[in-house]
Amino acid sequence: MSGFPELPDGRLEQKLADKAPLFTHGEAVTEANRCIYCADAPCVEACPTGIDIPTFIHKIATDNVRGSARTIFAQNLLGASCAQVCPVEVLCAGSCVYETWGRQAIQIGRLQRYATTAGLEKDPALLSRNAKPKTGKKVACIGAGPASLAAAGQLALDGHSVTIFEKRDVPGGLNTTGVAPYKLFAEGALREVEFILGLGDITLETGAEIDDAAAKKLLDDYDAVFVGIGLGPDSMLGFEGEGVVGATALIERLKLDASLTLEGVETALVVGGGNTAVDIAHELALLGVPHVSMIYRKTEAVMTGYAHEMATARKDGVRLIEHRSPLAIEREGEKLVGLRTQCMDGEGEEVFAGDMVIMAVGQSRLTGLARAFDGVALDDKGRVVVDEATCRTGHAKVYAGGDCVNGGKEVVNAAQHGKLAAAAISASFGAQ
Amino acid sequence: MADLSIEFCGVKSPNPFWLASAPPTNTGAQIKRAFDAGWGGAVWKTLGNPIINTSSRFGAVNYGSTRMMGLNNIELITDRPLEVNLREMEDVKKHYADHVVVASLMVDTKEEWHEIVKKVQDAGADMLELNFGCPHGMCERGMGSAVGAEPEVLKTIVGWVMEVAKVPVIIKLTPNVGDITVPALAALEAGADAVSLINTVKSIVGVDLDRMIPYPVVGDASSNGGYCGPAVKPIALHMLGQVARVFPKPISGIGGISNWRDAAEFMVLGATSVQVCTAVMHYGYRIVEDMIEGLNDFLDDKGMASAMDLVGKAVPQYKEWGQLDMNYHVVADIDPAKCIGCQLCVVSCMDGSHQCIHIPGMDDDEKKRRGHVVFPTDVPDIAATAEGAKAGARVPWVHEEECVGCNLCQLVCPVEGTISMREKRKAPESISWNERVMNGTDVVPGGLDATRKARGLDAE
Ligand SMILES: Cc1cc2nc3c(=O)[nH]c(=O)nc-3n(C[C@H](O)[C@H](O)[C@H](O)COP(=O)(O)OP(=O)(O)OC[C@H]3O[C@@H](n4cnc5c(N)ncnc54)[C@H](O)[C@@H]3O)c2cc1C
Ligand SMILES: Cc1cc2nc3c(=O)[nH]c(=O)nc-3n(C[C@H](O)[C@H](O)[C@H](O)COP(=O)(O)O)c2cc1C
Ligand code: SF4
Ligand code: SF4
Ligand code: SF4
């Protein structure tokens, strides 16, 4: 282990089962042989990092599993976690020719998980072996989430020295603290962090929050800076007190904090209609909370949570209540007993009984930090403004990517930003 | 990183992967794209006297959900003017000096052979491949496999070519012969530098049952064609192995090669280079990237520094049946943690082998009804514990004493790794059939006369 703390036993996420377990060799080869090996494949176009999917799948079929892993990592160093957390139903697999043809799409995510796992098992030094010689250049990454990790990994392979500053005790960003456990356990996320750290000269400093002053100083000590700080704490819409929690804060605890218990929680009310809302509702249902309802102010048709995630959450007992907007917490004494809501499809109010209210209505921005660098601009939504092709900000040595730039998308988008930024940073060094 | 480069008759190739003479090598532009993709060499689509091709020309065997497991064609040699091909060949060599360009040739008279050999040498061909293999159309004209099947004719033509050849000469063999070593040795005797094999196997891939016309349909009739693709790989490997045992010069392996593993198998059975046609026709030049990478990793795994180290590695282990160890014995083992309870192994052993796999929980009457002939009393009742198994499914049980170790159940089992063949020798020492015959323990299959001869009791 590279110095980050062992996860304690007894965490709630350990009670959940892996939704799409690792394929065996036989399963992987059988599925790989189903792939048509399309030319100009639509699945590639649908991957935000442009992984050459037909080729990596073909290489599974030919038992060239290291080659398969290389093909994946060539476009996406976080190919292992993406294999598990990507919403493939709306990305690669959603555009697979089988899907449009009315047949079951190729299970690209599971094949990718197999290839990255088996490839690295066969040769842990698969990529690091071909790292470029040291250049003497130094890059700092703020945040140890997917965006920074993708950037750091590529920069290290290009021969640069990288230091990652992470304010938490555990690295990995939301891959470790946020993603639904049945997709990726915290352990899996940390394993990927170790893989990235092993790619070259990368130092990880945890518990190292960068403030404005520290940020400014980074420019003196490093040749370039990458900002991958993600989003901030949950928006609470002013609700607070005992029994009210933010969704990402709760998920972080059920993934990492062995002291969290859900005993006594009979009814959980999740406010929101996005993927975070669907995730936490689904997780609570799977963890045995008897009644879990999502309270959403619009209709299912327009909610941003994915239909396929909502469908499986429902199967596991989650209820969706449409057209209700939260007004106030109902309490008896200190104790939370329900949520008063405004009916959006008519007049009046409705109170839902419950003993826990979870706010999943978005996250605040941390991007004030980025302004510490001269020339870095934020848009009206608080997102760091970057050049699309290079992820360079208004400051020539400062790059940014991931959620702090796109306002909150997927891990794979963060990985793509990290990759683009690393390429641009290496190119800028070469040009000097 | 292993060295993938090879030397074939003194000609260097960046890797052992060549395109076979066929549509993928029809034009210079194609061959340049192929070299850019990573192919080390290309055997130009056979040059010769002008012909025209039919439409349609290909047929295929689809097996299960696999398309084009076998491909059949009635295409002849190139239908492009010789001068155009020569010009393009010269241009390819000019731009790709390190890649191997082999000119495949097929003409009729001595004068024609002399003329075309000189022309392709002038165009810069690194080697010649004489197409004595085409099994359709050309052979009716006394060329192609008509030559390959007649050792004397073959020797004559090779002789003509050797009179003017300044570059190495490869003879491409047809598999449509009784004994492949005969034309191979004829080529050797005539002074050829190498052989390549196999060309396509005479075939009819199917029949249109409405129109009563075999495939591929040309108007209201068809003709037999040449079969290739993954389906012919076992035939090619066998013939390659046979030739490798007796032919002391380089061999180029062809037939059903689609990936690095196929290539490695051909190399260990004696091929120095391998040629590919159908897999490229199916998926494109891009497949070579996996072949290069896969072979490289494989060589690294085996601690081999060069692809040349592979050549012929398995040939000594390819023996005659009579030399095999009769005391070697394996029995089937079923892993209850993987079995999904489909009972395919049971039915295959019942109807296709030796009735020694039992389903637990049956009494002797039931077993008898099902066709068992031996009734073990202690069939264990094991539940299938695999995730994919139906609740309550039982794991079939192999009656080891009766198992002949044929592999059939392992071959049919749909779950890889569920049935393994465990070694259970009959005796520690090895003994072959030939030795048993010599000892007097056995007779040669086929009769007493042969046995007496084998024991040296009769003079020939
Ligand atoms: C609940 C939830 C579930 C999700 N599920 C999925 C999913 O299934 N699939 C998917 O693809 N995406 C999912 N996402 C989105 C995905 O997690 C993010 O898009 C992705 O993690 C963004 O990566 P990032 O590196 O930009 O930010 P983050 O992952 O947020 O990482 C940022 C890191 O920076 C650190 N940091 C912040 N400020 C500082 C500072 N000043 N100094 C030092 N360190 C700092 C943070 O502690 C954090 O570790 C989910 C998001 C949430 C909230
Ligand atoms: C359409 C087609 C045309 C071919 N034309 C030639 C030819 O002109 N000359 C030749 O030597 N072989 C020819 N072949 C045979 C191939 O070179 C090769 O020997 C055979 O296809 C086996 O290899 P494969 O299984 O990789 O296809 C042809 C094969 C096909 C399918
Ligand atoms: S679209 Fe589907 S079938 Fe085609 S290459 Fe991609 S995964 Fe394979
Ligand atoms: S593959 Fe091309 S040449 Fe052949 S039939 Fe189809 S379109 Fe015509
Ligand atoms: S061993 Fe294989 S073939 Fe036999 S029942 Fe089990 S899964 Fe089926």
Side-chain angles (χ1 to χ4, degrees):
Chain A
M1 291 292 276
S2 350
F4 37 90
E6 288 278 338
L7 299 171
D9 239 355
R11 292 165 296 121
L12 286 180
E13 80 159 11
Q14 292 170 293
K15 293 191 180 164
L16 297 175
D18 197 333
K19 187 178 72 168
L22 182 63
F23 271 145
T24 63
H25 175 263
E27 287 168 337
V29 169
T30 305
E31 182 67 2
N33 276 315
R34 219 163 59 80
C35 168
I36 295 166
Y37 195 16
C38 302
D40 286 326
C43 53
V44 179
E45 210 147 298
C47 171
T49 57
I51 292 176
D52 187 347
I53 294 163
T55 298
F56 99 69
I57 294 180
H58 176 70
K59 289 177 179 178
I60 294 176
T62 69
D63 252 336
N64 173 13
V65 72
R66 280 166 288 186
S68 182
R70 283 187 202 105
T71 299
I72 294 162
F73 291 134
Q75 296 304 329
N76 183 347
L77 287 175
L78 301 189
S81 64
C82 283
Q84 294 182 237
V85 309
C86 269
V88 293
E89 294 84 346
V90 298
L91 296 174
C92 53
S95 353
C96 173
V97 292
Y98 274 111
E99 183 71 28
T100 39
W101 199 12
R103 290 150 170 82
Q104 198 207 1
I106 299 297
Q107 299 182 57
I108 301 172
R110 293 187 74 181
L111 286 172
Q112 185 169 317
R113 179 173 177 184
Y114 173 79
T116 50
T117 309
L120 286 177
E121 212 163 79
K122 254 195 149 174
D123 183 4
L126 195 70
L127 303 185
S128 53
R129 172 170 302 119
N130 297 320
K132 300 223 174 79
K134 287 267 173 62
T135 61
K137 294 287 182 189
K138 288 163 58 185
V139 183
C141 295
I142 313 179
S148 283
L149 290 170
Q154 188 55 53
L155 289 164
L157 287 174
D158 289 348
H160 315 310
S161 301
V162 184
T163 307
I164 307 177
F165 299 95
E166 167 57 53
K167 71 174 175 194
R168 286 182 163 80
D169 292 335
V170 286
L174 286 165
N175 254 352
T176 309
T177 65
V179 166
Y182 41 81
K183 294 184 195 166
L184 178 67
F185 296 111
E187 255 169 7
L190 293 183
R191 219 175 301 131
E192 182 173 69
V193 175
E194 280 195 62
F195 157 69
I196 294 288
L197 296 182
L199 292 178
D201 182 11
I202 306 178
T203 310
L204 170 67
E205 295 196 12
T206 51
E209 178 158 5
I210 300 293
D211 58 16
D212 287 13
K216 287 202 171 77
K217 185 147 185 305
L218 290 178
L219 282 177
D220 300 333
D221 300 340
Y222 294 88
D223 301 296
V225 175
F226 179 82
V227 182
I229 52 178
L231 301 175
D234 300 288
S235 309
M236 301 300 284
L237 303 180
F239 299 114
E240 56 185 16
E242 191 267 338
V244 185
V245 289
T248 66
L250 182 60
I251 296 171
E252 178 162 357
R253 286 194 65 200
L254 67 85
K255 287 179 72 88
L256 298 175
D257 181 355
S259 72
L260 177 70
T261 158
L262 293 170
E263 248 160 74
V265 180
E266 278 294 312
T267 304
L269 303 170
V270 177
V271 178
N275 281 311
T276 301
V278 181
D279 272 13
I280 183 61
H282 195 179
E283 286 156 33
L284 292 174
L286 289 172
L287 286 167
V289 173
H291 308 285
V292 182
S293 295
M294 288 170 59
I295 312 251
Y296 182 46
R297 81 202 143 88
K298 297 188 202 158
T299 65
E300 183 167 5
V302 300
M303 72 184 240
T304 52
Y306 296 127
H308 65 269
E309 293 288 0
M310 191 62 229
T312 48
R314 257 205 189 104
K315 246 188 238 156
D316 290 318
V318 172
R319 201 173 139 217
L320 175 71
I321 298 164
E322 300 173 306
H323 292 303
R324 295 293 177 270
S325 178
L327 283 175
I329 305 291
E330 297 280 305
R331 292 188 187 276
E332 279 171 10
E334 288 286 280
K335 190 171 164 31
L336 186 152
V337 293
L339 181 69
R340 175 176 301 276
T341 65
Q342 172 73 50
C343 301
M344 306 301 284
D345 55 349
E347 300 290 294
E349 298 176 1
E350 186 174 2
V351 174
F352 295 95
D355 32 36
M356 187 179 208
V357 170
I358 299 125
M359 301 303 295
V361 293
Q363 290 166 259
S364 61
R365 305 275 183 249
L366 295 175
T367 41
L369 173 68
R371 285 228 199 99
F373 304 105
D374 291 336
V376 176
L378 303 183
D379 69 7
D380 55 355
K381 289 184 174 144
R383 299 177 296 198
V384 180
V385 178
V386 299
D387 169 57
E388 238 177 73
T390 59
C391 284
R392 193 187 311 232
T393 66
H395 188 295
K397 282 178 158 187
V398 180
Y399 299 73
D403 281 359
C404 66
V405 164
N406 60 32
K409 280 191 174 171
E410 315 287 346
V411 171
V412 66
N413 304 100
Q416 175 68 1
H417 278 165
K419 173 174 100 183
L420 291 176
I425 292 170
S426 289
S428 77
F429 292 163
Q432 277 168 19
Chain B
M1 280 291 249
D3 177 10
L4 284 195
S5 71
I6 56 156
E7 210 178 288
F8 192 99
C9 297
V11 178
K12 281 208 168 273
S13 175
N15 60 47
F17 307 118
W18 298 353
L19 290 170
S21 171
T25 59
N26 233 356
T27 69
Q30 281 175 286
I31 291 175
K32 285 178 174 178
R33 278 197 287 125
F35 287 168
D36 289 342
W39 291 90
V43 186
W44 210 281
K45 173 73 185 169
T46 303
L47 309 175
N49 295 320
I51 54 95
I52 54 170
N53 275 310
T54 60
S55 175
S56 62
R57 32 188 110 151
F58 308 150
V61 172
N62 303 325
Y63 196 78
S65 52
T66 302
R67 291 188 68 77
M68 242 165 85
M69 182 195 89
L71 176 70
N72 158 286
N73 82 90
I74 55 170
E75 179 176 294
L76 304 184
I77 60 173
T78 187
D79 48 17
R80 307 169 76 230
L82 180 63
E83 301 315 318
V84 174
N85 279 310
L86 291 172
R87 210 182 316 125
E88 291 180 2
M89 190 179 289
E90 201 172 333
D91 180 57
V92 169
K93 268 319 291 184
K94 197 165 84 202
H95 290 95
Y96 294 83
D98 296 337
H99 290 69
V100 176
V101 172
V102 182
S104 170
L105 307 175
M106 186 202 292
V107 284
D108 198 2
T109 64
K110 178 174 176 175
E111 291 65 38
E112 284 170 356
W113 277 107
H114 279 181
E115 185 186 334
I116 202 162
V117 166
K118 286 180 192 153
K119 280 185 171 164
V120 296
Q121 287 180 160
D122 289 345
D126 297 300
M127 281 185 266
L128 312 178
E129 185 180 83
L130 313 192
N131 179 351
F132 294 161
C134 184
H136 43 82
M138 301 311 286
C139 54
E140 291 161 23
R141 304 166 195 203
M143 290 180 271
S145 66
V147 177
E150 285 300 332
E152 287 313 314
V153 183
L154 184 149
K155 276 198 256 182
T156 308
I157 297 180
V158 174
W160 294 341
V161 170
M162 298 318 288
E163 287 165 16
V164 286
K166 294 191 196 122
V167 295
V169 176
I170 308 167
I171 311 303
K172 183 165 180 179
L173 302 178
T174 173
N176 302 300
V177 294
D179 179 354
I180 192 73
T181 60
V182 173
L185 292 174
L188 183 70
E189 217 176 294
D193 301 289
V195 292
S196 57
L197 73 164
I198 57 174
N199 208 311
T200 54
V201 183
K202 274 194 184 184
S203 62
I204 290 177
V205 280
V207 181
D208 179 337
L209 285 179
D210 292 322
R211 299 168 68 194
M212 296 297 168
I213 309 172
Y215 294 118
V217 172
V218 181
D220 53 9
S222 185
S223 186
N224 67 276
Y227 199 41
C228 53
V232 308
K233 183 183 128 183
I235 298 165
L237 277 177
H238 162 246
M239 294 192 161
L240 170 65
Q242 291 228 306
V243 172
R245 293 204 291 215
V246 298
F247 190 80
K249 292 178 171 182
I251 307 172
S252 189
I254 319 168
I257 298 167
S258 314
N259 56 55
W260 70 269
R261 177 183 281 274
D262 296 334
E265 289 172 5
F266 274 75
M267 293 184 80
V268 297
L269 271 178
T272 299
S273 74
V274 294
Q275 301 184 24
V276 179
C277 162
T278 303
V280 166
M281 290 179 69
H282 197 163
Y283 296 116
Y285 300 128
R286 59 184 167 149
I287 60 169
V288 75
E289 191 238 340
D290 164 64
M291 301 177 83
I292 291 172
E293 191 180 37
L295 190 68
N296 216 324
D297 281 351
F298 173 73
L299 290 169
D300 285 352
D301 284 349
K302 297 287 166 202
M304 292 184 185
S306 155
M308 293 296 281
D309 296 347
L310 278 178
V311 180
K313 272 278 182 302
V315 175
Q317 288 74 253
Y318 167 37
K319 294 192 173 150
E320 295 307 322
W321 189 91
Q323 298 171 286
L324 303 179
D325 179 7
M326 309 311 283
N327 280 344
Y328 180 76
H329 189 65
V330 290
V331 292
D333 248 356
I334 301 179
D335 182 350
K338 290 185 180 150
C339 169
I340 56 171
C342 70
Q343 317 296 9
L344 214 55
C345 54
V346 178
V347 75
S348 71
C349 188
M350 287 306 295
D351 297 0
S353 195
H354 289 72
Q355 299 86 42
C356 53
I357 307 187
H358 297 257
I359 299 176
M362 285 179 188
D363 59 24
D364 286 359
D365 282 348
E366 172 74 22
K367 283 185 193 156
K368 196 177 282 171
R369 236 199 9 262
R370 292 205 169 219
H372 282 290
V373 287
V374 178
F375 307 96
T377 51
D378 48 356
V379 176
D381 186 15
I382 304 169
T385 55
E387 226 171 272
K390 215 172 71 194
R394 314 318 288 175
V395 181
W397 176 78
V398 178
H399 187 199
E400 233 176 81
E401 283 64 40
E402 294 293 311
C403 172
V404 300
C406 69
N407 288 349
L408 182 64
C409 56
Q410 186 200 36
L411 298 175
V412 300
C413 177
V415 188
E416 191 195 58
T418 303
I419 303 187
S420 48
M421 304 304 294
R422 175 166 42 85
E423 191 171 318
K424 193 184 172 193
R425 293 189 62 87
K426 288 182 186 155
E429 72 283 357
S430 301
I431 184 151
S432 70
W433 181 271
N434 289 353
E435 286 162 338
R436 285 167 67 105
V437 170
M438 295 303 287
N439 294 346
T441 337
D442 274 306
V443 294
V444 169
L448 220 51
D449 287 351
T451 305
R452 291 178 66 84
K453 207 187 288 173
R455 292 191 194 144
L457 297 179
D458 280 348
E460 284 258 349

